[in-house]
Amino acid sequence: MQPPYTQAKQQYKEQNINTDETLQTLAHTPISIHCWQGDDVTGNEPNPTTGGGILATGNYPGKARNINELWMDLEKVIELAPGPKRVNIHAMYGEYTVDRDKIQPESFDGWIEWAKQQKVKLDFNATLFAHPQAETGFTLSSKDPETRRFWVEHVKRCREAADYIGRKQGSPCIHNLWIPDGMKDTAIDKYGYRKHLKESLDTIYATKYSHIKDSIESKLFGLASESYVVGSHDFYLGYAIQNNLLPCLDLGHYHPTESVADKITAILQYTPELMLHISRGVRWDSDHVPIMNDQTTEVFHELIRSKTLDRVHIALDYFDASINRIGAWVTGIRSTQKALLYALLEPTPELIKLEEQGKYFERLALLEEQKTMPMGAVYDHYCSTNNVPVGTGWIREVQEYEKQVLSKR
Ligand code: RNT
Ligand code: ZN
């Protein structure tokens, strides 16, 4: 009997798909792993607080209690998922004792050093939540000038730090901005808050840097911003187009039946690049562990079919504190890669031909046939050539790590 990969390769070849080339593309597509799955978005500040629209539910034992444990856990995660990775950090994970409007680029030297050892590049997020100055529910759009000044200054310093990181690592660092601003109940002066937000952004982005790419992330609603979100999709889309920034689309930040996939080729007519936060919305929560479902596969189909993969940055964003955190992390990474691989293994030229000929039954049937093609054998081959556990092997490794390390915390 032929090995499964040889068989799969042959089967895909019959559809004019070269699986080796496909895996090359996968091997050149980095996924930016968020650091905050490891400690339920706690961060590394001296007096951590929670709140500000973000909440990790659950209390599964073994959470990283400090930055060294977080690094150690991330190293395990990096080991268990194949392919190129970046690591996405938040300002609150820096090593500093000052307030957030005073942080310095050097506070991230530890991360830069660690990333170098791990052969990963870093991305960055300003942290405008879990802080006393964010307790009113408003930051950059606040009506209080001092609150606005504080957060504008924080984001300015974050962009400076991200530029420092980008320069040191020789690869642009994406600086993403998400703010929790909004209201639980009916807001009246929606225009006023949005005007403040626009002015704050104008001040922030007036400084140009050459080693960062700026992305801005919208949301539909959040904890305590159920009725009104200042930084809505329309707000940031307009701002991004007008100012040549990257919109950041988080898969959990839209109406459940709204297709994020469909937005991609619409937006890319107007912005050079965009940023994705791969997540999974479940009812009110936007941050469940991503799985390979219609939502994720459709997003990647869209990127492959439109040949825009190189214009889109793939980052992860979820936090589940109710299951083994390393397991949650790795599940999301591997599922994201599988969704991408599934899209890469599609006979797109053939489907386009059928579409142009008006052969819509054939288009639908061919699409459905893809679902039972042997993609698993191709992914397993990718794992084995990357020296990562094949198939379910990684689950046992997570269990072992839990026994040896996590259960002792
Ligand atoms: C919040 C946004 C944002 C955060 C991270 C921690 O709804 O999705 O991206 O999850 O910055
Ligand atoms: Zn997000």
Side-chain angles (χ1 to χ4, degrees):
M1 254 235 317
Q2 282 180 325
Y5 179 64
T6 316
Q7 281 185 36
K9 192 172 162 167
Q10 183 57 33
Q11 244 179 293
Y12 280 107
K13 198 172 159 214
E14 283 157 23
Q15 293 203 49
N16 289 321
I17 295 159
N18 181 328
T19 50
D20 291 332
E21 277 174 21
T22 298
L23 290 180
Q24 276 304 313
T25 308
L26 204 57
H28 287 102
T29 309
I31 293 184
S32 193
I33 304 171
H34 57 314
C35 76
W36 50 92
Q37 162 59 43
D39 70 343
D40 314 339
V41 212
T42 306
N44 189 46
E45 289 176 331
N47 302 304
T49 50
T50 49
I54 299 260
L55 177 68
T57 47
N59 55 359
Y60 196 84
K63 157 178 167 167
R65 293 164 300 181
N66 53 54
I67 199 157
N68 288 310
E69 290 183 352
L70 189 67
W71 280 334
M72 188 178 171
D73 291 354
L74 263 168
E75 286 164 25
K76 192 73 206 168
V77 167
I78 288 171
E79 243 177 76
L80 296 178
K85 298 144 196 120
R86 299 173 68 93
V87 168
N88 201 5
I89 65 174
H90 241 284
M92 72 192 320
Y93 289 85
E95 296 167 279
Y96 55 83
T97 48
V98 293
D99 206 352
R100 288 193 202 161
D101 61 341
K102 296 191 182 60
I103 59 172
Q104 301 289 338
E106 291 74 25
S107 306
F108 301 91
D109 281 341
W111 275 101
I112 295 172
E113 197 44 48
W114 174 84
K116 205 163 148 196
Q117 280 164 17
Q118 291 299 307
K119 299 190 171 53
V120 297
K121 309 290 183 194
L122 297 173
D123 292 315
F124 201 97
N125 297 260
T127 311
L128 293 90
F129 52 83
H131 188 279
Q133 290 266 38
E135 255 157 30
T136 58
F138 290 92
T139 61
L140 296 177
S141 74
S142 170
K143 291 206 176 182
D144 170 39
E146 169 49 28
T147 305
R148 282 204 309 279
R149 185 216 56 83
F150 179 86
W151 290 114
V152 165
E153 192 56 33
H154 171 66
V155 184
K156 280 182 155 184
R157 283 166 180 267
C158 285
R159 288 181 73 236
E160 192 189 333
D163 187 67
Y164 173 83
I165 293 171
R167 184 153 32 87
K168 288 220 160 182
Q169 68 187 9
S171 162
C173 176
I174 302 212
H175 179 276
N176 181 58
L177 177 68
W178 173 78
I179 61 168
D181 300 29
M183 282 196 170
K184 183 186 174 86
D185 219 329
T186 315
I188 308 300
D189 190 15
K190 292 186 175 186
Y191 187 90
Y193 292 106
R194 289 191 169 130
K195 193 163 183 292
H196 279 317
L197 177 54
K198 185 177 178 301
E199 284 161 3
S200 293
L201 297 180
D202 287 347
T203 313
I204 289 166
Y205 296 112
T207 315
K208 305 292 170 206
Y209 289 103
S210 38
H211 305 282
I212 56 175
K213 294 187 182 193
D214 286 293
S215 66
I216 43 181
E217 180 179 6
S218 66
K219 198 168 181 172
L220 180 65
F221 76 90
L223 292 173
S225 66
E226 288 85 357
S227 297
Y228 170 56
V229 169
V230 184
S232 60
H233 176 70
D234 308 71
F235 177 90
Y236 281 128
L237 185 60
Y239 197 85
I241 292 171
Q242 201 169 55
N243 295 279
N244 214 21
L245 306 182
L246 284 65
C248 171
L249 312 183
D250 184 310
L251 299 198
H253 288 191
Y254 295 86
H255 287 284
T257 57
E258 200 175 354
S259 166
V260 176
D262 190 46
K263 296 180 189 301
I264 293 170
T265 51
I267 295 175
L268 283 177
Q269 308 291 336
Y270 304 99
T271 69
E273 297 181 13
L274 61 82
M275 170 84 161
L276 289 175
H277 270 186
I278 306 296
S279 182
R280 175 167 51 113
V282 176
R283 305 212 186 272
W284 62 267
D285 177 50
S286 60
D287 303 291
H288 273 56
V289 179
I291 53 175
M292 188 182 157
N293 58 7
D294 286 352
Q295 217 198 2
T296 44
T297 52
E298 277 165 17
V299 161
F300 291 116
H301 270 320
E302 200 54 34
L303 300 184
I304 302 308
R305 291 170 184 167
S306 60
K307 300 192 173 69
T308 54
L309 186 60
D310 59 343
R311 291 169 60 191
V312 175
H313 304 271
I314 306 166
L316 307 174
D317 182 15
Y318 49 93
F319 26 98
D320 192 334
S322 73
I323 55 176
N324 179 306
R325 291 173 186 78
I326 317 292
W329 236 329
V330 181
T331 301
I333 301 170
R334 292 174 64 109
S335 299
T336 300
Q337 285 176 331
K338 287 179 195 166
L340 172 57
L341 178 61
Y342 183 67
L344 286 165
L345 289 170
E346 179 188 79
T348 311
E350 176 66 16
L351 285 160
I352 292 180
K353 207 159 83 199
L354 292 172
E355 185 166 273
E356 287 171 353
Q357 293 168 344
K359 293 184 172 168
Y360 298 149
F361 137 66
E362 290 86 345
R363 179 183 63 182
L364 183 64
L366 187 55
L367 272 177
E368 280 303 289
E369 286 305 319
Q370 300 313 307
K371 292 181 179 166
T372 46
M373 287 289 284
M375 189 197 92
V378 181
Y379 189 71
D380 283 349
H381 178 74
Y382 185 60
C383 288
S384 89
T385 52
N386 278 275
N387 297 316
V388 162
V390 171
T392 55
W394 70 275
I395 301 174
R396 284 186 297 279
E397 290 214 20
V398 172
Q399 289 170 331
E400 192 53 32
Y401 187 73
E402 173 161 38
K403 213 165 106 197
Q404 301 298 337
V405 181
L406 303 180
S407 68
K408 296 184 179 140
R409 287 182 183 164

